[in-house]
Amino acid sequence: MILLRTARGGVMAYRNKTYICFDGDTDMKYYRLMQAWSANQRFSFDFYNAHDLNSARDTSEVESIKRQLRVRFANSKLLVVLIGENTARLTKFVKWEMEVALRLDLPIIGVNLNGSRKRDALCPPTIRDELAVYVPFGMKIVEHAMANWPASHAKYKSEGKTDYYHYTDATYMSLGL
């Protein structure tokens, strides 16, 4: 973890990572595609992946994995939830990851793998009624949300808003979508 000194001499964690939460059994290809977008020099899509900090193995004990995931969260500024067919039913880690992000007040981007531009029936109950933005899976709109949602989240939070959001058709048109 990178630490910075505050003006008063305190220490704070430098949060620059994106934590991506997903069904590792069925939606790994979407996570891998996001990594490929970031690695490709021809694309502007880029993010600092919290998963690069350590490797939580499926063979580890649950508490050991959660300890490693907490390190990832300590360095994260944003949670991206890849929402697939089974995401809402995953309770062992995915639900826990969303709950941790909510406790840490991280901005949440729900990425619908079914192409929906709004919150839909596949949205996990844990984040269904929380402050979040929903977008379909696609490089340009995910990149836009990652760049813009944290500031919007902070603004809406300061105004006491707790609703969910989605981008207008004008936003998609401006991105060429």
Side-chain angles (χ1 to χ4, degrees):
M1 175 177 0
I2 299 170
L3 299 176
L4 298 176
R5 289 252 174 241
T6 64
R8 295 190 174 157
V11 177
M12 64 180 203
Y14 181 61
R15 294 177 171 230
N16 68 342
K17 306 286 190 241
T18 300
Y19 194 109
I20 303 174
C21 169
F22 61 97
D23 178 354
D25 292 330
T26 60
D27 300 329
M28 179 65 78
K29 63 186 172 190
Y30 297 100
Y31 170 70
R32 295 283 186 230
L33 186 52
M34 288 180 70
Q35 289 179 306
W37 293 339
S38 183
N40 190 323
Q41 297 295 320
R42 294 182 294 150
F43 298 146
S44 62
F45 186 92
D46 196 19
F47 68 99
Y48 295 105
N49 191 347
H51 291 277
D52 291 340
L53 293 173
N54 56 34
S55 59
R57 302 272 186 241
D58 287 343
T59 57
S60 299
E61 294 294 320
V62 170
E63 276 311 308
S64 173
I65 292 172
K66 286 183 177 180
R67 192 171 27 260
Q68 291 174 22
L69 297 178
R70 283 186 198 98
V71 170
R72 294 177 185 178
F73 272 114
N75 290 277
S76 296
K77 65 175 182 177
L78 173 68
L79 175 72
V80 172
V81 181
L82 300 180
I83 302 172
E85 291 290 326
N86 301 315
T87 310
R89 293 188 294 275
L90 300 175
T91 58
K92 188 173 184 179
F93 293 111
V94 172
K95 179 182 178 193
W96 178 85
E97 290 168 317
M98 289 183 282
E99 289 169 345
V100 170
L102 289 168
R103 278 195 305 275
L104 294 173
D105 198 27
L106 294 180
I108 297 173
I109 300 170
V111 178
N112 296 309
L113 302 180
N114 65 1
S116 176
R117 291 184 173 185
K118 300 178 180 180
R119 184 189 76 178
D120 65 14
L122 293 178
C123 181
T126 307
I127 61 170
R128 185 171 291 138
D129 297 320
E130 300 293 338
L131 181 59
V133 68
Y134 293 89
V135 298
F137 185 80
M139 184 177 61
K140 287 182 179 181
I141 192 63
V142 171
E143 180 179 32
H144 177 81
M146 288 172 59
N148 294 285
W149 179 245
S152 296
H153 175 270
K155 176 183 176 279
Y156 295 144
K157 198 75 166 174
S158 72
E159 295 171 355
K161 296 180 180 176
T162 58
D163 209 356
Y164 60 91
Y165 292 84
H166 62 271
Y167 292 109
T168 63
D169 289 341
T171 300
Y172 288 92
M173 287 176 38
S174 74
L175 296 170
L177 302 173

